[in-house]
């Protein structure tokens, strides 16, 4: 089987990127795989191409509706009409129809909550399954204890299907400990690992201190090309949008938008009608825009995992790109405030556990009692573990900001990596300087490549 020929004919790529072919070959042999590939290096191709070659349906368990919709759109652009996303954007009748006709679909996207639902499992049992994918698999470790215990039931759900098919877990950001969690919770420790560096050498790293609104205004006056500005809350997203809307082709994006609004904004951004998107982290997973030149974090990310995911949306065309983190004293307080929710849940659990007659209204405790009725004490342990993990992640981001050494080395060290080949334009402590619009214009062909796209490409993305 000539995989390169299929890659060229079906997907339009001449060669595989690192790790893709290795993963596909193992899946075609029927083996389970945990794949860790950098953001922007085509993880979804691993299951798309494999699915094309195997008989049966491919189930993709995905954490966010926006990610499902992005990947569904990619398949539709490839001409694949046998794809569906079972999520809240479907009406009740649409969802019921899809479940009744599930075997007609080649690619089926769903959340972990949808997957462990009894009606879904019964419908999947009636299908021939070729492959099951756990996308953004680090969420198994991070979100399984973060108000989504359904992630801890994935292995049970897979076993209930009682079919023989390979399982693929994909992620771009997983420490050694998180990979161990994925192995334990998804594979029972039986999967081979295909692990590549999380580094994106063409993305230069910067931290800018001071009054953030003034710093942002100054930066946007210098930068060119498409960019994403990430904020921690919907309120801040809308505030910045109001501040920028009279000067830039800008829109805002967060989880409160309707499905149709999100689709329109994604298409406008992909086609170049918008220069900037101000967004929460609901935007970006799976977004297939190659020429994003910069990612600015207006608020402190809550973890190195999320930070690396989000800056990885820049420079997917391989050209130089910039990741700029704005920091003002006490920015981390918002994350400490959110961690207070965990402490409140622990207090409620202790009261309920001490007196079984007390009924908890806490949704997490109710969900845990339903899923794991004989493991009440485990919830308290997981809540304590979650609180400590969150504290360590925020501290790691503060350490990244405060380091006087190479920021790239600091970031990769968190993921148990050693930086082998340091790029010339590495970070603001190590050879990098912000590339302005004037400097970019002096680079032969780059500005025109950013501003002018072939009409065929624009139409292809739209339709």
């Amino acid at each position: 089987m000539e995989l390169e020929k299929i890659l060229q004919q079906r997907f339009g790529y001449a060669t595989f990127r690192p790790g893709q072919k290795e993963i596909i070959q193992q899946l075609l042999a029927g083996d389970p795989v945990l794949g860790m590939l950098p953001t922007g290096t085509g993880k979804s191709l691993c299951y798309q191409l494999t699915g094309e070659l195997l008989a049966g349906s491919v189930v993709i368990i995905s954490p966010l509706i926006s990610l499902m919709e992005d990947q569904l759109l990619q398949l539709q652009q490839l001409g694949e009409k046998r794809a569906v996303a079972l999520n809240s954007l479907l009406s009740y009748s649409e969802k019921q129809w899809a479940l009744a006709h599930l075997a007609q679909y080649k690619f089926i996207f769903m959340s972990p909550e949808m997957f462990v639902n009894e009606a879904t499992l019964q419908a999947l049992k009636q299908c021939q399954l070729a492959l099951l994918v756990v996308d953004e698999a680090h969420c198994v470790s991070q979100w399984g204890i973060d108000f989504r215990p359904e992630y801890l039931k994935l292995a049970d759900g897979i076993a209930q299907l009682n079919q023989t098919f390979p399982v693929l877990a994909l992620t771009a950001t997983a420490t050694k400990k998180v990979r161990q969690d994925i192995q334990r919770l998804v594979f029972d420790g039986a999967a081979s690992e295909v692990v590549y560096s999380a580094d994106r050498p063409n993305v230069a790293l910067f931290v800018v201190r001071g009054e953030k609104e003034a710093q942002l205004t100054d930066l946007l006056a210098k930068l060119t090309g498409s960019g994403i500005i990430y904020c921690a809350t919907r309120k801040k997203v809308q505030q910045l949008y109001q501040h920028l809307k009279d000067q830039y082709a800008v829109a805002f994006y967060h989880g409160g938008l309707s499905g149709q609004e999100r689709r329109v904004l994604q298409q406008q951004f992909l086609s170049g009608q918008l220069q900037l998107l101000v967004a929460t982290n609901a935007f970006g997973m799976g977004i297939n825009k190659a020429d994003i030149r910069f990612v600015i974090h207006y608020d402190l990310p809550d973890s190195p995992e999320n930070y690396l995911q989000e800056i990885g949306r820049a420079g997917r065309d391989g050209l130089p790109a910039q990741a700029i983190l704005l920091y003002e004293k006490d920015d981390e307080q918002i994350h400490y405030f959110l961690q207070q929710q965990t402490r409140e849940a622990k207090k409620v659990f202790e009261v309920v556990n001490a007196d079984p007659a007390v009924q908890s209204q806490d949704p997490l405790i109710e969900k845990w009692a339903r899923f794991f009725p004989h493991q009440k004490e485990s919830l308290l342990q997981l809540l304590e573990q979650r609180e400590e993990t969150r504290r360590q992640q925020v501290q790691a981001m503060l350490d990244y900001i405060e380091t006087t050494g190479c920021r790239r080395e600091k970031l990769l060290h968190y993921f148990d990596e050693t930086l082998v080949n340091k790029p010339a334009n590495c970070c603001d402590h190590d050879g990098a300087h912000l590339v302005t619009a004037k400097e970019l214009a002096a680079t032969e062909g780059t500005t025109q490549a950013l501003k002018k796209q072939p009409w065929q490409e624009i139409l292809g993305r739209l339709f």
Side-chain angles (χ1 to χ4, degrees), residues 372-409:
F372 307 102
H374 306 299
Q375 301 178 41
K376 290 184 178 180
E377 289 300 324
S378 298
L379 176 59
L380 184 59
Q381 295 169 6
L382 286 170
L383 287 171
E384 290 172 347
Q385 177 188 336
R386 175 184 180 269
E387 185 176 11
E388 177 60 19
T389 297
R390 291 304 192 205
R391 187 198 66 76
Q392 292 175 356
Q393 289 172 325
V394 173
Q395 185 58 51
M397 286 307 307
L398 293 174
D399 293 344
Y400 171 81
I401 289 169
E402 297 295 339
T403 187
T404 57
C406 175
R407 296 195 195 278
R408 192 176 304 271
E409 286 182 345

Side-chain angles (χ1 to χ4, degrees), residues 18-19 43 79 85 120 130 151 155 203 213 265 279 295 317 397-398 411 433 451 457 462-463:
K43 293 188 295 297
T120 306
Y151 268 107
V203 180
E213 192 168 298
L265 286 174
V295 170
D317 53 9
M397 286 307 307
L398 293 174
L411 191 58
H433 71 280
K451 291 185 176 179
E457 182 178 340
L462 286 173
F463 299 104

Side-chain angles (χ1 to χ4, degrees), residues 102-393:
L102 215 53
Q104 296 180 11
Y105 295 103
K106 183 66 178 178
F107 295 93
I108 306 166
F109 295 89
M110 64 183 69
S111 67
E113 289 83 359
M114 177 64 74
F115 177 71
V116 301
N117 180 275
E118 186 59 33
T120 306
L121 288 173
Q122 290 301 320
L124 288 172
K125 288 178 183 179
Q126 308 307 311
C127 303
Q128 178 186 357
L129 299 183
L131 173 66
L132 187 138
V133 183
V134 181
D135 201 8
E136 305 298 341
H138 56 278
C139 297
V140 170
S141 175
Q142 293 181 356
W143 288 2
I145 57 171
D146 193 11
F147 302 98
R148 295 184 80 171
E150 289 87 353
Y151 268 107
L152 305 183
K153 295 287 285 184
L154 291 182
D156 288 346
I158 293 169
Q160 284 185 50
L161 295 175
N162 197 28
Q163 295 187 39
T164 301
F165 50 79
V167 175
L168 169 64
L170 287 170
T171 181
T173 53
T175 62
K176 184 176 180 181
K177 178 187 178 303
V178 170
R179 295 202 301 273
Q180 290 172 345
D181 284 347
I182 296 169
Q183 286 278 11
R184 176 173 54 86
L185 294 168
V186 177
F187 299 105
D188 197 23
S192 63
E193 296 190 5
V194 177
V195 177
Y196 280 77
S197 173
D199 189 25
R200 290 289 305 284
N202 64 313
V203 180
L205 306 175
F206 302 88
V207 173
V208 177
R209 294 172 179 263
E211 201 282 315
K212 291 190 293 186
E213 192 168 298
Q215 295 288 0
L216 179 65
T217 300
D218 182 59
L219 282 168
L220 292 179
K222 297 176 181 176
L223 298 173
T224 190
S226 297
I228 304 173
I229 304 168
Y230 278 112
C231 303
T233 65
R234 295 180 186 181
K235 181 179 179 181
K236 180 56 67 177
V237 163
Q238 292 177 312
Q239 286 177 348
L240 279 188
Y241 167 73
Q242 292 296 328
H243 176 65
L244 299 172
K245 67 177 183 177
D246 294 332
Q247 294 177 272
Y248 300 95
V250 60
F252 66 88
Y253 187 108
H254 55 60
L257 301 179
S258 70
Q260 182 59 27
E261 287 172 324
R262 284 186 291 205
R263 291 188 193 101
V264 169
L265 286 174
Q266 287 174 355
Q267 285 305 313
Q268 289 177 332
F269 191 53
L270 287 171
S271 64
Q273 297 175 54
L274 296 172
Q275 181 194 4
L276 302 174
L277 267 186
V278 187
T280 63
N281 62 7
F283 177 80
M285 279 188 175
I287 193 69
N288 192 25
K289 183 172 175 62
D291 60 350
I292 295 172
R293 296 271 62 83
F294 59 90
V295 170
I296 296 174
H297 278 80
Y298 192 85
D299 290 319
L300 180 72
D302 62 359
S303 68
E305 288 90 342
N306 285 341
Y307 185 57
L308 198 61
Q309 283 273 359
E310 288 154 15
I311 67 175
R313 281 142 207 170
R316 293 189 173 190
D317 53 9
L319 295 174
Q322 305 180 100
I324 306 161
L325 171 56
L326 305 184
Y327 179 74
E328 204 168 348
K329 188 175 183 299
D330 294 331
D331 272 359
E332 61 274 18
Q333 293 304 317
I334 186 172
H335 300 303
Y336 296 147
F337 171 76
L338 294 173
Q339 288 172 14
Q340 179 65 28
Q341 296 176 357
T342 300
R343 288 189 281 275
E344 292 300 322
K346 285 169 59 181
K347 290 178 183 177
V348 172
F349 173 82
E350 289 167 351
V351 171
V352 172
N353 204 39
D355 185 358
V358 177
Q359 295 296 311
S360 170
Q361 299 301 311
D362 185 283
L364 174 63
I365 294 175
E366 290 181 351
K367 190 183 288 186
W368 187 269
R370 187 169 72 252
F371 283 154
F372 307 102
H374 306 299
Q375 301 178 41
K376 290 184 178 180
E377 289 300 324
S378 298
L379 176 59
L380 184 59
Q381 295 169 6
L382 286 170
L383 287 171
E384 290 172 347
Q385 177 188 336
R386 175 184 180 269
E387 185 176 11
E388 177 60 19
T389 297
R390 291 304 192 205
R391 187 198 66 76
Q392 292 175 356
Q393 289 172 325

